[in-house]
Amino acid sequence: MTQSARTLLAFAFSAFAATALAAGPTAAPALTALRVEHQMSSLGTDGVQRDVRFAERVYRQGDRIWIARELPPASAHAEHDHANAHAGHKHADTDTAPRWIERDAKGALTVRVVSESQQKNYAVEPAEYSNIGFDGSWATAYHLLDPAALKGMRADGPVRNGVQTYRAAQGERTVTVEWDVAGQYPRRVESRNASGSQRKLTRVTTLPAPAAAPWERAQRYAAADYTDLMD
């Protein structure tokens, strides 16, 4: 090997080493923040229109998910006053309390209900999942809609602006999904019956990621069992 070749090889090796050193360890998955708006509308045979609207914020990163209901300021004050009035008593509003879900390397789930006012994490066992509105599906919680469900739907045209539209007929219902291909979540899901008297609509938008994931604060909370709330 000539001197010039050895010099070139040494330069290439040092450049490669510098690049690898700069890259460092594999970066952690990015924290994603989503706002999920739900609307449900039904027109009864009595002629009364019934509408339900609520929104949640979903934070997901790697094998962690945090789902929190959006509450008006008045609700936050009411929860604080309720906690003070029942100091020493076991209480948590599981309908609106954040849900913290983690998955380990084997796929086993750890599910908690987080009481911000009590600074406690209540561990929830599978038998109690339905009490907190969790169906036990990691895929549904993480993606908001299990991607496997898309296999039974018809793709409507090509991907447009990063979104693939799917449609399906389920009995008298029609379902339309606008799937964000890169983000792996539905931007919009609409379900309605043939007459239009029953309609469900979900819209998902991205939010700026917070400086710290919400579970980082909750990791300092005391551990408790969800069954304690039933005593």
Side-chain angles (χ1 to χ4, degrees):
M1 183 182 292
T2 65
Q3 180 62 35
S4 59
R6 285 196 295 268
T7 302
L8 182 60
L9 183 61
F11 176 78
F13 178 79
S14 62
F16 173 80
T19 301
L21 183 62
T26 304
L31 174 62
T32 303
L34 303 171
R35 184 173 190 266
V36 186
E37 301 177 78
H38 300 279
Q39 299 178 28
M40 289 163 278
S41 177
S42 64
L43 177 63
T45 55
D46 55 2
V48 177
Q49 179 84 24
R50 296 170 176 84
D51 296 308
V52 176
R53 295 170 180 257
F54 66 96
E56 295 177 313
R57 297 201 173 196
V58 177
Y59 302 89
R60 60 186 200 177
Q61 184 179 39
D63 289 323
R64 292 185 176 93
I65 309 169
W66 181 279
I67 305 170
R69 178 79 56 82
E70 280 191 0
L71 299 174
S75 296
H77 290 308
E79 180 184 0
H80 178 73
D81 293 342
H82 184 93
N84 288 340
H86 292 76
H89 291 264
K90 299 171 182 176
H91 174 81
D93 190 342
T94 56
D95 289 336
T96 58
R99 286 159 286 165
W100 176 16
I101 305 168
E102 292 187 316
R103 183 179 63 168
D104 67 16
K106 296 182 179 180
L109 301 183
T110 298
V111 180
R112 305 175 182 92
V113 167
V114 181
S115 173
E116 301 281 5
S117 60
Q118 296 182 12
Q119 295 195 352
K120 285 187 177 183
N121 297 315
Y122 290 93
V124 184
E125 295 299 323
E128 308 297 340
Y129 284 173
S130 61
N131 291 342
I132 64 168
F134 178 49
D135 65 0
S137 170
W138 169 266
T140 301
Y142 189 88
H143 298 282
L144 311 180
L145 172 70
D146 189 343
L150 300 175
K151 296 178 181 179
M153 304 182 73
R154 174 177 55 85
D156 187 0
V159 175
R160 297 183 180 88
N161 299 321
V163 174
Q164 176 66 67
T165 300
Y166 294 89
R167 302 185 192 279
Q170 301 174 351
E172 295 185 354
R173 290 193 310 141
T174 57
V175 181
T176 303
V177 177
E178 295 178 6
W179 185 257
D180 188 301
V181 177
Q184 290 292 289
Y185 64 84
R187 293 191 189 180
R188 188 176 187 274
V189 180
E190 182 177 18
S191 171
R192 62 168 63 225
N193 63 0
S195 66
S197 61
Q198 306 285 332
R199 179 173 179 259
K200 294 181 180 179
L201 177 64
T202 299
R203 292 191 181 96
V204 184
T205 53
T206 57
L207 297 170
W215 51 76
E216 291 186 14
R217 179 181 65 255
Q219 286 173 341
R220 299 191 295 267
Y221 294 172
D225 290 329
Y226 179 79
T227 54
D228 291 347
L229 300 173
M230 303 177 185
D231 292 346

